Amino acid sequence: MENQNNVTEFVFMGLCEGKHIELLFFFLFLLCYMAVLMGNSTILLTITCSHLIQQPMYYFLCHLSLMDLCYTSTVVPRLIRDLAATRKNISYNNCMTQLFTAHLLGGVEMFILVSMAFDRYIAIVKPLHYVVIMNRQRCNMLIVMAWVVGFWHSVALLFMVLNLPFCGPNQIDHYVCDVKPLLKLVCKDIHFVSILVIANSGMVAVAIFLVLVASYIFILYNLKTYSSAGRHKALSTCSSHIMVVVLFFGPCIYIYVLPAGSENKDKEISVFYTVIAPMLNPLIYTLRNVEMKITMQKVWSQMAHSELM
């Protein structure tokens, strides 16, 4: 069979059925999106306008908040619009753009979390060498590497999907253009492609998650040499990172390890890393971080004072 594409647009089946439920979710996701914008913008402004930007941990946190803002803005505004719309359609080109952008930003965020784990590992296991190892040049290099890896990951998925024939139907059982729901619409055998998707996304996510878990176990093991106060501070920081890692990687692993043809709760589970995790990240990093809360108060009080002058 030749790879022909008769589909010019796709129609989302959406997150739920029933107009009343859709309106309820419309207001719920609108509030969630506003919380994402406010929370992550606050972290970005606090870090960039203070001395915290000089510290590697907050430098990475700043980039993580930026990725949360961008990633959520790629998915949630269209979801909100579709919840209020009668017809939830998206053109083929816009669908491919959303697929590429979402996986690019998701891949970058994944490796920023790796960089944050590496930073905590050096800070706790090799504290005397921390300043030398985690200099600004190395931090910039880690961010560039995150973008490079994320780019190649998303390019590989995009070219994989672009080479698939879509002959109809065009209804996507999801609220976002993602590779797995798109595979269900392909008019040829997808067994080999499904294996490639699992290898590209699922197995990579599992491998990175296991590396992160191993690094945090090693970090926690080394905390026994610290004083009680130092141990408490390190535990508070690491527990925040672990919570974010679990919130992000848990749903990703569930979705991308299972094959495309299986009956699972992909679109319900994906809400965790498209909406809930970006909304909770600012709370996790601010409520459990004394230095962040103090700096936030200083920055906002200075801004309020400058406006009164």
Side-chain angles (χ1 to χ4, degrees):
M1 179 185 291
E2 293 183 4
N3 281 8
Q4 57 180 3
N5 192 354
N6 299 327
V7 174
T8 57
E9 71 170 12
F10 295 101
V11 179
F12 293 123
M13 293 177 67
L15 188 61
C16 56
E17 296 180 1
K19 200 60 186 176
H20 294 295
I21 299 176
E22 283 189 332
L23 285 175
L24 176 64
F25 275 106
F26 171 84
F27 290 108
L28 177 63
F29 283 115
L30 183 61
L31 290 173
C32 289
Y33 185 55
M34 291 173 63
V36 170
L37 294 178
M38 290 176 61
N40 287 286
S41 297
T42 300
I43 285 184
L44 275 171
L45 193 61
T46 301
I47 294 175
T48 53
C49 295
S50 69
H51 67 284
L52 294 180
I53 193 65
Q54 302 300 325
Q55 300 181 37
M57 182 177 76
Y58 295 104
Y59 176 76
F60 292 130
L61 178 57
C62 186
H63 282 276
L64 181 69
S65 294
L66 180 61
M67 288 304 101
D68 279 339
L69 276 173
C70 296
Y71 181 80
T72 308
S73 297
T74 303
V75 176
V76 179
R78 178 172 285 276
L79 168 61
I80 294 171
R81 190 209 71 172
D82 287 344
L83 285 169
T86 304
R87 182 172 168 81
K88 306 170 177 58
N89 61 311
I90 183 172
S91 69
Y92 177 86
N93 290 336
N94 287 342
C95 182
M96 296 302 109
T97 301
Q98 188 183 57
L99 171 71
F100 174 80
T101 308
H103 276 273
L104 169 64
L105 297 172
V108 174
E109 182 163 342
M110 189 179 292
F111 283 93
I112 287 175
L113 290 171
V114 173
S115 300
M116 294 175 78
F118 178 70
D119 171 69
R120 290 301 84 201
Y121 172 83
I122 299 298
I124 293 170
V125 179
K126 298 180 181 292
L128 298 179
H129 302 90
Y130 179 75
V131 177
V132 176
I133 296 174
M134 296 305 298
N135 53 55
R136 183 46 57 91
Q137 183 179 2
R138 182 165 277 109
C139 291
N140 290 334
M141 183 189 71
L142 289 170
I143 293 297
V144 170
M145 284 179 60
W147 277 97
V148 170
V149 174
F151 175 77
W152 283 112
H153 158 73
S154 54
V155 163
L157 276 181
L158 178 64
F159 276 106
M160 194 185 303
V161 175
L162 288 174
N163 286 319
L164 295 174
F166 295 96
C167 314
N170 65 340
Q171 286 190 323
I172 301 177
D173 187 17
H174 215 291
Y175 60 87
V176 62
C177 279
D178 201 3
V179 61
K180 280 187 65 181
L182 283 171
L183 286 181
K184 296 179 182 179
L185 306 180
V186 174
C187 49
K188 77 170 189 179
D189 182 54
I190 60 167
H191 181 72
F192 180 69
V193 180
S194 294
I195 293 173
L196 291 179
V197 170
I198 292 171
N200 180 286
S201 300
M203 290 300 102
V204 171
V206 170
I208 294 173
F209 180 71
L210 291 176
V211 169
L212 289 173
V213 170
S215 68
Y216 281 116
I217 289 173
F218 197 67
I219 287 170
L220 295 174
Y221 175 78
N222 280 268
L223 285 179
K224 65 181 182 180
T225 60
Y226 277 58
S227 63
S228 178
R231 192 182 301 118
H232 181 268
K233 183 179 179 180
L235 278 172
S236 178
T237 304
C238 288
S239 61
S240 299
H241 291 182
I242 292 169
M243 288 169 66
V244 171
V245 165
V246 171
L247 273 173
F248 184 80
F249 278 91
C252 286
I253 290 171
Y254 172 86
I255 289 172
Y256 293 108
V257 165
L258 297 176
S262 60
E263 294 296 325
N264 47 46
K265 303 291 183 181
D266 281 4
K267 61 183 179 181
E268 291 86 357
I269 296 297
S270 62
V271 172
F272 280 93
Y273 63 81
T274 56
V275 182
I276 295 175
M279 182 178 65
L280 293 180
N281 286 355
L283 292 174
I284 292 171
Y285 282 113
T286 53
L287 293 179
R288 298 179 63 84
N289 192 313
V290 176
E291 187 177 15
M292 188 73 185
K293 285 189 285 188
I294 293 172
T295 305
M296 193 178 294
Q297 291 172 358
K298 288 181 180 179
V299 169
W300 288 100
S301 62
Q302 287 174 1
M303 290 178 65
H305 180 71
S306 63
E307 288 180 359
L308 293 174
M309 293 297 289

